[in-house]
Amino acid sequence: MLGQGGQSALSLLLLLPLLLLPLPLLLWQEAAAIEVPQDPKILQDLKQPPTIVRQSVKDYIVDPRDNIIIECEAKGNPVPTFLWRRNGRFFNIGKDPRVTMRKRSGTLEIGFRSGGRPEDYEGEYQCFATNEFGVALSNKILLRVSKAPLWPKEVLEPVSVSEGSSLVLPCNPPPGLPPPFTFWMNSAMSPIPQDKRVSMGLNGDLYFSNVLAKDAQTDYSCNARFLFTHTIQQKNPFTLKVQAKEQYNDTSYNASEPSGGRKLPESTPTFLSPSGSESSKMVLRDEELLLECIAAGLPTPTIKWFKKGGDLPARKVKFENYNKTLKILNVSEEDAGEYICMANNHLGSIRHSIFVQVKAAPYWLDKPTNLVLAPEENGRLVCRANGNPKPSIQWLLNGQPIDSAPPSLSRRLLGDTIMFDSVQIGGSAVYQCNASNQHGYLLANAFVSILDLPPRMLGPKNQLIKVIENNRTFLDCPFFGSPLPELRWFKNGQGSGLDGGQYRVYINGTLAIRQARPEDEGTYTCVASSMLGTAENQVRLEVKEPIRIVQAPQQQSPVRGAAARLDCKVTSDATMPVTVTWMKDDKPLYMGWRMRKDDDSLTISNVNEGDQGTYTCTVQSEIEQKSASARLTVLEEASLNPSVSSALPPDRPAPPMELDLSDPAARSVRLTWIPGSDRGSPITQFLVQFEEDRWEANRWQNLSTYPGDLNSVILQLVPFVNYQFRVIAINAVGQSEPSGASPRYKTSGTVPDAIPRGLRGSGSKSDNMEISWEPLLDLERNGPNLHYSVWWRRVATEENWSHVTTAGFRHVVENTETYVPYEIKIQARNDFGTGPVSNVVVGHSGEDKPTDAPTDLRVSKVHSSSVVVHWKPVDLNSVRGEFKEYRLHYWRESSLVPGLVVSDDRSAKGFYSTVPEPTGVLSGLVPYSKYKMFMVVANNHFESPPSNAVEFTTKEGVPDVPSLFTLNRRSLDTIHLAWDKPSEPNGILIGYQLKYYSLNGSRTGRPKLETFYPNVTEFNLWLPSRSTRYKLELSALTRVGSGEVLVEELPHFTNEAGNFTDATGLGNKTVKVVRMVQQPPVTVTQLMAGAKYHLRVFSHERSSISSKSITFKTKPAYIDQVDIATQGWFIGLMCAIALIILILLIVCFIKRSRGGKYPVRDKKDLPLDPVDQKDQDGSFDYHSDEDNKPLQGSQTSLDANVKESDDSLVDYGEGGDGQFNEDGSFIGQYTVKKDKDETEGNESSEATSPVNAIYSLA
């Protein structure tokens, strides 16, 4: 079985020092994981195996009317991909059009709009989330479709029963998924009343302990409500006939009694459910236990419950259904046993025993969680579960049984625990623990991520901290790295590190200064270092003088109408501005016209009863706040209360007296004192200070503060310190003088509480192992003569522990075998005894040079840039250290391109493989080249002898981009292109190709292609349109194909010319370097007109020394000529001129048609001028249409139906009748005889068309 997926997130690095105090105990545990802070910069780069974060429930019942959604969500970096198995086989989602998977998710959606049956998709589903670091599994999700079957049709005969007898009406609801909820109603849809006598059992049957005549007044129908479909199905009703023992009469009937007042035969109790004298019941842990006893009898029996050998668990027990049902919530193993139900009435009683067995599906005792480790660290995954019967534990690795996974030297399986020793990069994976028995299963995913990060600072840079003098101060320096870096603090860049004395460095990087003094000001640098590098940050500390209220407001009792002055004079640090605010009775004071606030006082004129109250002045800076209060009382007359007016002002309290110590203990003592006078202001606090003569003698330090109503307190102390104490009283005015010192009290020493941190073992030579650790802090010694006891022995042996005691912090074990694992543990001890023993860590002795070399090195599948490498592995015992990798050394011997000089720098690539026939892919090779290589096997420090050398030649590939591509304008329409050969031809060059096309917004023109021989490296490109932008794509060619394309765009000449230059350049920008040896000013020549330049001056010897960049633009040498025919203003002008000419022609034509002498008859026989012929498109030019019949030399009309007609000026003029010309000559009247078809067919030949007039004049 497979089960629940682990959903553990990375732990958050706590930054508060007080919260971090217990953390060292955790860091010393063997399986302690790295706590990764939730810093976005770290999380963005953090690679993480997949983790299932959401999935559907194991037993998943869906509504057949809805689409089916099976959830599977996972997180990881890279983002996981998903696949599904259905009924143990791969579920190909792409082949089923009804099934889709959500984007960036594994959730399946099955839709049925296009048909299909949900029942076809029932089965067991499991989701697999995968990325390059592992595979996470979901539970096996059993998908079932909800069912609401119909009630079987049946004919129910009337039920006849004697009055006073018991009765059971069966329900037998149809089996649904999930099971339906049953209830009883009558045909009027009213619920059947239930009570102690009549009730429904857990199986849905209706039980009558005894039947009465009134029960026949209704019918009984069982109803089943199905939850998913929200439907109710009703069974055919039962008709109940009750046979009365004797008939009613008018005098015997009593409606107030159940039996009507008649005497019914009584009976002793019997059980209707369950049957017999005993039964058994099995229930699973954490579920509900339901026990039922329903009895028959008259009178109706009463049910009582007992548990043999003990009481019923009162907090978990509920009685339902009139005591007939016993419910126990959240069943546990102690709820098993014999339960007894007793039914009794006044005739007798009966008992039934129910033997309850409590079984348990697997439940977690220790669920495995995600583990983040640094290289060389140790850890463990623990999977402990319990159940009844005891569950079996199975481990999987990335979804496969761990037994079938390749063996790993850093992983050991010990039953329910996986131990990881000296983990390495590449060992990340997702482990699954499956705990199962016959009642269920659990599945937990837990990834092991090997994290390798250099130190990083997480806090703000160069932070400024301001603190009040003599206050405890914390300088934060949050950091992170893997492995965990070592942090040290320095002041003003000097010293060997700050720790001890008044400085304390917490494990999270915070530096605590017990009591800040002016000499503590300065710049503090925290440096985090590990084998991967260092990181540092700085904090500037400024110590400020505290705020002091040197003249506080005093209690006053002015007479009404007088003035009152409340003083509040303060001193503070000169560099820290302060603000003074006043409050009255703890509320902000409204400054009316009678109130005047000065720097040192508050004056109230003409006081009255409303001014009476407690006034508080509050002085606040950006880091501190102090306040003082005084009571203002307004009197009617000065003589009414002379005692108040003459009272002394309050003052600081007198110092406490007679300090006494009692109740001594190892780490505490009771301090008692007698308070001094409060001097008119109640004492609010007592400050207890201490001085000790071991670390900082003659310096008093604050220990703790206590409320002013206490004078006896228990002080919590540190072992092995010689204390003395004093007490200071505090009231609203200020602090008292310190009390006298108490007698000295020396806390007794004790064994060390702490375990040395950083225990590790590694070899510095092939025959030794150096064990090292971090020494305890001074305050962790707890006694004199601190030493460390160290034990070690070889792993997986029964040999005795070797042991040494030393005062140092390292020990070297000599004469060891090469690379042998050792178990190591450590313990601190002093003169009082030994402290706790650390957890066992695993170290190794030193490594040596491997003895065997890989053999039979060969290659296959040689391509242009990659090759498959094969070799025979070595015996891992010959590695003589931790197997790191098979390391392939290779170099480029030469190029097959004639005359091409190559570099023979050697490169190496590692392959981690433990399979019998390892292979690897060597990529990143240069095509068309000759290579040599050999292989070694490597541990952490040494390489083996080399294998056999192998030579191979890569195949020809496509060339690199041309190494130079310049554009130079030769004329207004010509661009000179020049380029050079690729730096890596990757084969024999056969030429170049240039593809160019126009650009118009998002549209491109038809591409044009130019090809060149390999010896041609320049070309003059003629641009047909100078106002169009062009894109050029240049690439080199080999026999394999075209190489990488170099792209340039040609801008408009009028405003963009920056890419055109004679200087050498690559891409869209050109760089020109001019060496200058003379003193400034200098002149830079050969610049391009109208171009934009960025200029800077730098040192040729040291390019890091440079001036700031300035930008300038050269003047244009000429103004570009533009094609006037394409300009909008020119087109508009031409249209206006054409319109004016058209209007003039129309006017001239009209005037011409109205006058003049026309030799009509003379023109009748003349042929048409050639310009009067019909155009090809069917329209006619202007001509004299005398008779509309075809003349000699003319063409026919559009429909060839032009007929001869009388010569008439009607066709030219505006009128239809004959008339005189302007000179008085009579032309005559002519009639044009045309039928309708001719008129319509020759309409385009009318001479009055102004368009034809234009054509004729043209």
Side-chain angles (χ1 to χ4, degrees):
M1 293 184 181
L2 293 174
Q4 180 67 34
Q7 302 177 5
S8 175
L10 296 179
S11 303
L12 176 66
L13 180 63
L14 301 177
L15 301 180
L16 296 177
L18 296 179
L19 295 179
L20 281 169
L21 289 176
L23 284 185
L25 296 177
L26 295 179
L27 295 176
W28 296 328
Q29 294 180 2
E30 177 181 314
I34 294 176
E35 297 177 346
V36 180
Q38 300 297 91
D39 187 276
K41 295 180 181 178
I42 292 180
L43 296 180
Q44 181 179 2
D45 302 332
L46 183 65
K47 301 301 182 181
Q48 179 180 323
T51 301
I52 301 291
V53 297
R54 181 183 296 174
Q55 56 183 320
S56 296
V57 296
K58 295 179 183 178
D59 192 3
Y60 188 25
I61 302 175
V62 297
D63 192 332
R65 299 169 299 178
D66 299 332
N67 292 339
I68 298 175
I69 297 178
I70 311 176
E71 287 189 319
C72 180
E73 305 286 343
K75 66 179 182 179
N77 187 12
V79 177
T81 58
F82 298 87
L83 61 87
W84 285 85
R85 287 183 181 175
R86 181 186 176 199
N87 296 329
R89 302 180 64 183
F90 172 68
F91 185 31
N92 193 338
I93 299 171
K95 290 187 176 181
D96 193 332
R98 298 188 185 93
V99 183
T100 58
M101 184 184 294
R102 293 178 181 173
K103 292 184 178 179
R104 299 179 67 88
S105 165
T107 298
L108 296 182
E109 295 187 6
I110 307 175
F112 301 98
R113 290 187 177 180
S114 58
R117 299 172 62 251
E119 290 78 6
D120 296 338
Y121 292 89
E122 289 185 325
E124 191 175 61
Y125 292 79
Q126 188 172 26
C127 173
F128 292 72
T130 307
N131 67 12
E132 62 184 90
F133 298 105
V135 181
L137 278 64
S138 74
N139 292 328
K140 284 190 174 180
I141 302 167
L142 179 60
L143 176 68
R144 295 184 294 172
V145 178
S146 173
K147 297 177 176 60
L150 297 176
W151 218 302
K153 294 184 178 180
E154 56 183 341
V155 178
L156 299 178
E157 298 294 334
V159 178
S160 179
V161 63
S162 300
E163 188 176 11
S165 301
S166 62
L167 175 66
V168 179
L169 296 181
C171 179
N172 299 326
L177 187 65
F181 170 76
T182 57
F183 56 96
W184 287 82
M185 303 183 76
N186 58 23
S187 58
M189 300 305 292
S190 297
I192 300 298
Q194 299 189 30
D195 52 22
K196 180 180 178 181
R197 182 180 65 88
V198 181
S199 62
M200 184 180 72
L202 295 177
N203 61 355
D205 294 348
L206 189 63
Y207 292 87
F208 294 78
S209 295
N210 48 78
V211 177
L212 301 179
K214 64 178 183 179
D215 296 331
Q217 298 174 6
T218 184
D219 50 10
Y220 300 86
S221 177
C222 185
N223 295 264
R225 180 163 63 91
F226 295 90
L227 301 178
F228 272 78
T229 58
H230 301 288
T231 58
I232 296 176
Q233 296 187 23
Q234 190 176 52
K235 185 176 183 177
N236 289 338
F238 289 95
T239 301
L240 182 60
K241 295 181 179 180
V242 179
Q243 300 175 1
K245 295 294 183 180
E246 57 182 74
Q247 297 296 325
Y248 291 102
N249 54 50
D250 295 339
T251 60
S252 65
Y253 180 75
N254 187 351
S256 62
E257 295 186 8
S259 59
R262 295 173 295 106
K263 187 67 173 178
L264 297 179
E266 295 181 342
S267 60
T268 58
T270 58
F271 281 115
L272 298 176
S273 175
S275 59
S277 61
E278 61 182 39
S279 60
S280 62
K281 177 83 171 181
M282 193 277 288
V283 65
L284 292 180
R285 184 177 186 268
D286 293 330
E287 293 186 352
E288 287 185 350
L289 173 62
L290 294 174
L291 302 179
E292 182 181 61
C293 279
I294 301 177
L298 186 65
T300 303
T302 300
I303 305 295
K304 294 182 179 181
W305 291 90
F306 308 94
K307 183 179 181 183
K308 188 175 182 179
D311 297 330
L312 294 173
R315 290 180 297 177
K316 299 196 299 181
V317 166
K318 290 185 177 180
F319 297 101
E320 298 179 346
N321 198 15
Y322 307 97
N323 247 33
K324 300 175 186 179
T325 303
L326 171 67
K327 176 189 288 187
I328 300 181
L329 307 175
N330 298 322
V331 172
S332 57
E333 285 78 0
E334 56 267 22
D335 294 325
E338 181 182 353
Y339 290 80
I340 301 171
C341 66
M342 183 177 69
N344 69 301
N345 58 17
H346 69 272
L347 296 181
S349 63
I350 188 174
R351 294 171 178 251
H352 182 90
S353 294
I354 305 176
F355 295 91
V356 174
Q357 285 184 313
V358 178
K359 301 292 185 179
Y363 57 91
W364 292 117
L365 296 177
D366 198 346
K367 182 179 179 181
T369 57
N370 295 335
L371 189 62
V372 181
L373 298 173
E376 299 295 338
E377 283 190 345
N378 305 327
R380 61 181 175 180
L381 291 178
V382 180
C383 177
R384 294 191 179 99
N386 200 4
N388 188 5
K390 184 74 175 178
S392 60
I393 301 295
Q394 180 190 14
W395 284 98
L396 298 94
L397 174 60
N398 292 329
Q400 300 298 325
I402 197 169
D403 297 337
S404 63
S408 173
L409 296 178
S410 63
R411 182 182 67 235
R412 291 179 293 136
L413 180 60
L414 302 175
D416 57 9
T417 302
I418 300 180
M419 304 294 296
F420 298 95
D421 304 324
S422 300
V423 296
Q424 301 297 322
I425 293 296
S428 298
V430 183
Y431 293 82
Q432 289 85 27
C433 174
N434 179 34
S436 60
N437 64 13
Q438 64 194 60
H439 302 296
Y441 72 90
L442 293 172
L443 178 72
N445 290 273
F447 66 68
V448 176
S449 180
I450 313 304
L451 188 59
D452 189 7
L453 287 178
R456 295 188 184 184
M457 290 297 169
L458 306 180
K461 296 288 187 180
N462 303 320
Q463 190 175 11
L464 174 62
I465 302 295
K466 298 178 182 180
V467 64
I468 297 300
E469 185 179 354
N470 295 324
N471 279 6
R472 189 176 178 89
T473 305
F474 296 98
L475 305 183
D476 292 331
C477 181
F479 67 98
F480 181 69
S482 179
L484 188 66
E486 176 187 6
L487 186 86
R488 301 182 70 187
W489 281 90
F490 302 91
K491 180 182 177 184
N492 296 329
Q494 301 175 356
S496 59
L498 302 176
D499 198 3
Q502 82 156 353
Y503 297 106
R504 180 177 181 183
V505 179
Y506 291 94
I507 192 172
N508 71 328
T510 297
L511 175 66
I513 305 176
R514 293 185 180 180
Q515 195 170 11
R517 298 167 296 188
E519 54 266 30
D520 293 324
E521 279 196 347
T523 300
Y524 290 78
T525 304
C526 60
V527 180
S529 59
S530 72
M531 65 179 67
L532 300 180
T534 61
E536 66 177 46
N537 197 3
Q538 291 184 340
V539 179
R540 171 71 181 170
L541 178 65
E542 293 184 359
V543 180
K544 303 296 183 181
E545 295 181 8
I547 295 174
R548 293 184 177 89
I549 302 178
V550 296
Q551 188 173 353
Q554 303 294 325
Q555 181 175 347
Q556 296 189 32
S557 301
V559 178
R560 183 164 55 90
R565 174 188 171 94
L566 299 172
D567 294 320
C568 187
K569 187 175 182 179
V570 300
T571 61
S572 63
D573 193 285
T575 62
M576 296 275 293
V578 298
T579 57
V580 179
T581 57
W582 286 89
M583 302 182 71
K584 178 188 175 187
D585 297 331
D586 297 329
K587 296 180 181 179
L589 178 63
Y590 171 71
M591 302 298 293
W593 64 271
R594 295 182 297 108
M595 303 211 180
R596 186 177 78 253
K597 174 186 171 185
D598 299 325
D599 291 339
D600 299 334
S601 64
L602 173 67
T603 302
I604 307 174
S605 60
N606 194 21
V607 297
N608 55 42
E609 290 78 359
D611 297 324
Q612 188 167 279
T614 300
Y615 288 79
T616 302
C617 78
T618 300
V619 186
Q620 186 174 13
S621 68
E622 61 178 289
I623 60 174
E624 187 185 17
Q625 175 179 308
K626 288 188 176 179
S627 60
S629 302
R631 178 73 182 176
L632 179 65
T633 303
V634 179
L635 305 177
E636 288 294 330
E637 293 182 7
S639 60
L640 292 179
N641 197 348
S643 62
V644 175
S645 61
S646 62
L648 293 176
D651 198 357
R652 294 187 300 170
M657 302 173 291
E658 299 185 20
L659 272 65
D660 180 62
L661 298 177
S662 61
D663 301 337
R667 301 194 184 192
S668 66
V669 69
R670 178 177 291 277
L671 174 64
T672 306
W673 64 90
I674 297 177
S677 172
D678 63 6
R679 293 179 179 172
S681 178
I683 296 175
T684 58
Q685 277 186 331
F686 287 104
L687 171 63
V688 178
Q689 296 181 326
F690 75 94
E691 181 268 344
E692 51 85 23
D693 59 2
R694 182 178 300 277
W695 310 114
E696 294 183 79
N698 300 321
R699 178 170 175 264
W700 288 95
Q701 304 177 56
N702 294 340
L703 179 62
S704 186
T705 58
Y706 299 95
D709 57 351
L710 296 180
N711 71 325
S712 180
V713 295
I714 295 178
L715 307 178
Q716 301 298 324
L717 308 177
V718 176
F720 199 59
V721 176
N722 192 19
Y723 287 96
Q724 65 176 345
F725 307 99
R726 69 183 187 186
V727 183
I728 297 174
I730 304 173
N731 65 7
V733 179
Q735 293 185 356
S736 71
E737 293 295 326
S739 69
S742 72
R744 282 203 176 268
Y745 176 70
K746 184 176 182 180
T747 54
S748 59
T750 185
V751 299
D753 299 321
I755 302 175
R757 298 172 286 270
L759 179 63
R760 63 189 303 267
S762 60
S764 58
K765 298 180 182 179
S766 61
D767 60 350
N768 75 1
M769 178 179 65
E770 183 178 290
I771 304 173
S772 61
W773 61 92
E774 298 177 16
L776 297 185
L777 302 176
D778 290 335
L779 292 180
E780 295 173 336
R781 292 172 175 261
N782 290 358
N785 197 20
L786 179 67
H787 285 73
Y788 303 96
S789 296
V790 184
W791 292 268
W792 68 92
R793 71 177 180 184
R794 295 180 57 164
V795 172
T797 62
E798 297 300 327
E799 63 185 31
N800 295 328
W801 289 89
S802 299
H803 171 258
V804 71
T805 300
T806 177
F809 50 89
R810 65 169 52 89
H811 175 73
V812 179
V813 180
E814 302 288 354
N815 300 322
T816 65
E817 296 182 17
T818 302
Y819 198 68
V820 175
Y822 283 86
E823 293 178 325
I824 308 170
K825 59 184 179 179
I826 193 171
Q827 177 187 50
R829 62 190 307 156
N830 57 23
D831 286 351
F832 294 98
T834 57
V837 180
S838 72
N839 289 327
V840 174
V841 300
V842 177
H844 288 83
S845 57
E847 298 180 331
D848 205 347
K849 186 173 182 180
T851 58
D852 296 350
T855 58
D856 193 20
L857 180 65
R858 63 191 187 279
V859 298
S860 66
K861 297 182 181 179
V862 180
H863 299 290
S864 61
S865 61
S866 65
V867 64
V868 178
V869 183
H870 307 262
W871 68 94
K872 289 185 178 179
V874 301
D875 183 359
L876 293 182
N877 293 326
S878 70
V879 178
R880 304 177 72 187
E882 180 189 3
F883 170 63
K884 189 73 173 179
E885 63 188 2
Y886 289 99
R887 191 170 295 156
L888 185 69
H889 294 273
Y890 64 97
W891 62 96
R892 188 182 181 192
E893 186 78 9
S894 62
S895 173
L896 300 183
V897 178
L900 183 63
V901 180
V902 301
S903 172
D904 59 352
D905 293 340
R906 297 198 174 193
S907 302
K909 182 175 182 180
F911 300 95
Y912 183 89
S913 177
T914 57
V915 299
E917 297 182 0
T919 62
V921 177
L922 178 62
S923 58
L925 303 177
V926 180
Y928 211 52
S929 298
K930 181 180 179 181
Y931 277 88
K932 287 186 177 181
M933 66 179 181
F934 65 85
M935 177 175 283
V936 297
V937 63
N939 56 33
N940 288 312
H941 297 93
F942 301 99
E943 291 184 351
S944 72
S947 70
N948 59 296
V950 174
E951 294 185 0
F952 64 93
T953 301
T954 54
K955 295 183 179 180
E956 189 173 5
V958 297
D960 286 352
V961 65
S963 59
L964 182 68
F965 190 25
T966 60
L967 295 81
N968 188 19
R969 179 164 46 201
R970 291 290 177 85
S971 65
L972 296 179
D973 298 325
T974 303
I975 298 297
H976 178 71
L977 311 179
W979 60 89
D980 205 348
K981 294 181 179 180
S983 58
E984 286 291 351
N986 296 338
I988 302 300
L989 286 179
I990 62 173
Y992 302 91
Q993 69 177 13
L994 174 69
K995 182 168 68 173
Y996 62 96
Y997 47 86
S998 60
L999 298 175
N1000 183 10
S1002 60
R1003 296 182 298 173
T1004 59
R1006 179 178 299 175
K1008 299 181 180 180
L1009 184 67
E1010 299 282 351
T1011 58
F1012 311 99
Y1013 290 110
N1015 59 344
V1016 176
T1017 58
E1018 59 181 356
F1019 177 65
N1020 289 326
L1021 176 63
W1022 178 77
L1023 303 178
S1025 175
R1026 296 178 52 255
S1027 61
T1028 304
R1029 182 181 291 270
Y1030 288 87
K1031 177 177 280 190
L1032 283 67
E1033 298 178 354
L1034 178 68
S1035 60
L1037 301 171
T1038 63
R1039 287 170 294 188
V1040 177
S1042 173
E1044 185 179 353
V1045 177
L1046 182 60
V1047 180
E1048 288 280 0
E1049 284 193 17
L1050 297 184
H1052 298 296
F1053 294 163
T1054 55
N1055 55 8
E1056 297 181 46
N1059 292 343
F1060 299 89
T1061 177
D1062 289 326
T1064 301
L1066 182 63
N1068 289 333
K1069 294 184 178 180
T1070 61
V1071 178
K1072 185 172 184 179
V1073 179
V1074 182
R1075 296 176 64 99
M1076 294 295 178
V1077 295
Q1078 69 270 29
Q1079 295 296 320
V1082 296
T1083 303
V1084 182
T1085 60
Q1086 298 182 354
L1087 301 180
M1088 198 176 72
K1092 186 178 181 181
Y1093 287 89
H1094 300 279
L1095 175 67
R1096 69 182 179 94
V1097 181
F1098 64 93
S1099 169
H1100 182 69
E1101 289 77 11
R1102 299 185 64 184
S1103 59
S1104 60
I1105 302 177
S1106 172
S1107 69
K1108 293 183 178 179
S1109 177
I1110 63 171
T1111 303
F1112 66 91
K1113 187 175 182 181
T1114 56
K1115 295 181 180 180
Y1118 57 87
I1119 300 176
D1120 256 337
Q1121 299 179 2
V1122 181
D1123 189 357
I1124 197 173
T1126 63
Q1127 302 300 307
W1129 64 269
F1130 178 77
I1131 296 174
L1133 178 62
M1134 291 299 100
C1135 291
I1137 294 175
L1139 181 61
I1140 294 173
I1141 294 175
L1142 176 61
I1143 295 173
L1144 293 176
L1145 289 175
I1146 293 174
V1147 172
C1148 293
F1149 174 74
I1150 293 174
K1151 288 188 176 182
R1152 178 183 174 188
S1153 63
R1154 288 184 177 179
K1157 296 179 181 180
Y1158 298 89
V1160 178
R1161 286 296 179 186
D1162 295 340
K1163 296 188 64 166
K1164 180 176 181 181
D1165 297 328
L1166 291 177
L1168 291 174
D1169 191 82
V1171 300
D1172 296 331
Q1173 303 300 319
K1174 184 176 84 171
D1175 287 343
Q1176 294 180 1
D1177 59 357
S1179 61
F1180 284 86
D1181 290 335
Y1182 172 78
H1183 61 279
S1184 178
D1185 193 6
E1186 292 180 327
D1187 52 7
N1188 286 334
K1189 71 177 182 178
L1191 301 178
Q1192 182 180 358
S1194 67
Q1195 296 182 4
T1196 60
S1197 63
L1198 288 174
D1199 55 1
N1201 290 327
V1202 178
K1203 297 181 181 180
E1204 182 179 358
S1205 63
D1206 295 334
D1207 190 11
S1208 174
L1209 288 180
V1210 175
D1211 296 332
Y1212 304 115
E1214 295 177 351
D1217 299 329
Q1219 46 185 286
F1220 288 93
N1221 272 340
E1222 295 175 353
D1223 58 355
S1225 60
F1226 179 73
I1227 300 300
Q1229 182 175 358
Y1230 297 88
T1231 321
V1232 180
K1233 295 181 180 179
K1234 301 177 183 178
D1235 56 22
K1236 183 176 182 180
D1237 292 338
E1238 286 181 324
T1239 304
E1240 294 177 355
N1242 297 299
E1243 193 172 359
S1244 62
S1245 65
E1246 292 295 327
T1248 57
S1249 170
V1251 178
N1252 288 338
I1254 293 176
Y1255 284 140
S1256 64
L1257 291 176

